[in-house]
Amino acid sequence: MNHSSLTVMQRQSVARTLWSPRLLMTEILAGLVTSLALIPEALAFAVVAGIDPQTGLFTSVILAMVIAFTGGRPAMISGAAGSTALVIAPLVASHGTDFLVPTVLLAGVLQIAFAVLGVAKLMRFIPRQVMVGFVNALAILIFSSQLPQLIGVPWLVYPMVFVGVALVFGLPKLSAAIPAPLVVIVMLTLFTVLAGARVPTVGDFGQLPSSLPALFFPSVPLTWGTLQVILPYALGVAFVGLVESLMTAKLVDDITDTHSNKTRESWGLGVANLATGVFGGMGGCAMIGQTMINVNGARARTRISTFFAGFFILVLSLALGDIVAMIPMAALVSIMVFVSLITFDWHSVSPGTLRAMPRSETAVMIATVVVTVFSHNLALGVGAGILLAMVLFARRVAHLVTVSREVADGTATYTVTGQLFFASSNDLYTLFEYTEDPDEVVIDMSNSHVWDASTVSALDSVVTKYHRLGKTATVVGLNAVSGALHGRLTGRL
């Protein structure tokens, strides 16, 4: 699907929603529910980054509202994410918050540059098992991130969470008119207030803002030294943000059975991060947990829900901060537990699937999960999974190369079959009978393909050894592409 048709499809979807009171109410309520789940995490991630908790809220507000227009994946939620918080935390600790803003601004510029260079198109090279591992690791991280809210808390928290999970699973079977997560939040908040229950609330995470965000001008020198300080962190924010956003967009594509524009999502995230930087924000990216609440829990499908998620954070924080602060964390924990359970791909770990799946494929999935969970870095986990998949693929393909020998009329003919690259061609040199062959040797490449300089070098080594023995070896049968590469590099390596 090309860019123009995709844009038209999305614009029609928004227009249809605006003209349908039922669909519009679904999107608005989804934005409300998602904003309530965003607030405590935005506060918490700001603390992780070592900055004012209010900065985390304003970052989520600006990111959500801007990317609702610039992003390439409708209904996906972006905000102040834990992954970016972990990247910038060392910078804030060592250089203070003044260096944070130029870092976020540079990260936005880099994301736009990566989009122009077509980095988003590399998504097609991510194997399915890496994607499965990403989803499963994400579910585990979402669940484990709720454990601090369940340790060392009053006993009443546990039955509240149990009731919340039961409601969020059971209510949609009775009626889908109102999002189940919203019902859970309202009911548990009312219970907490009316019963006077002393349980952790959203207000315990930090003070909600009382005024609109203002432009921020950092007092840092525009020098080469400053660039040397911020560039590594900006690259980290840009890369982690793009990986998480593009992987989340692909996940939402699968859930909604629709397509997204990954290139637009890449530069759209860059623009959104530039906007957050201007207002002193911490930068961010797609937030998988809140996206799953929006798409799976509240069944949102358009940009309207993304915009209202940011809008409601602003309104709730400024106008209804006291009420929002009373929401028990048990309500949000129950929603996130629900999200983690429906996000995990249970079929991928069923005994039948594991028995049928090749061990190498299972290893890739497990490696992605393990690295992600232990590093708490989705980008690192995905990178590890891709790297392992590449190594295992190269190993499999390397064993598919065969060399057969036939001697007739004083000529030895070797027929090479398979795909030749660095992994499969390294042993090519050892597959010839140099001393036993007659003076004329033909290496027939009709059934093979030369992919890289390593293979050209291996063929040169074979021909050179025959030459040293006073014999003649000729390479024949190269296809056009292989012949062009061989002709350009032979004798020069």
Side-chain angles (χ1 to χ4, degrees), residues 24 51-52 59 69 71 86 97 140 182 185 198 200 227 235 321 397 414 465:
L24 180 59
I51 59 179
D52 185 352
T59 297
F69 294 96
L86 292 173
T97 55
I140 294 172
L182 180 59
I185 291 172
R198 295 183 177 274
L227 181 62
L235 283 170
V397 174
Y414 287 87
K465 183 161 185 176

Side-chain angles (χ1 to χ4, degrees), residues 4-52:
S4 59
S5 62
L6 181 65
T7 304
V8 170
M9 182 187 72
Q10 291 171 348
R11 186 165 56 244
Q12 289 174 341
S13 177
V14 171
R16 177 169 173 257
T17 302
L18 291 174
W19 282 100
S20 170
R22 181 180 61 83
L23 294 178
L24 180 59
M25 184 57 64
T26 297
E27 297 293 316
I28 294 174
L29 291 177
L32 175 60
V33 170
T34 305
S35 69
L36 293 172
L38 272 168
I39 289 174
E41 291 213 7
L43 293 171
F45 291 149
V47 173
V48 170
I51 59 179
D52 185 352

Side-chain angles (χ1 to χ4, degrees), residues 6 10 67 70-74 259-262 264-265 303:
L6 181 65
Q10 291 171 348
I67 210 164
T70 64
R73 174 62 262 179
H259 297 286
S260 60
N261 189 323
K262 305 298 190 301
R264 178 174 174 179
E265 181 62 34
R303 302 174 184 276

Side-chain angles (χ1 to χ4, degrees), residues 46 73 91 115 212 325 392 443 468 487:
R73 174 62 262 179
L91 173 68
L212 292 172
L392 293 176
I443 304 173
R468 288 174 180 170

Side-chain angles (χ1 to χ4, degrees), residues 62 76 97 185 375 377 402 476:
I62 297 169
M76 191 166 77
T97 55
I185 291 172
S375 68
N377 189 322
T402 60
V476 301

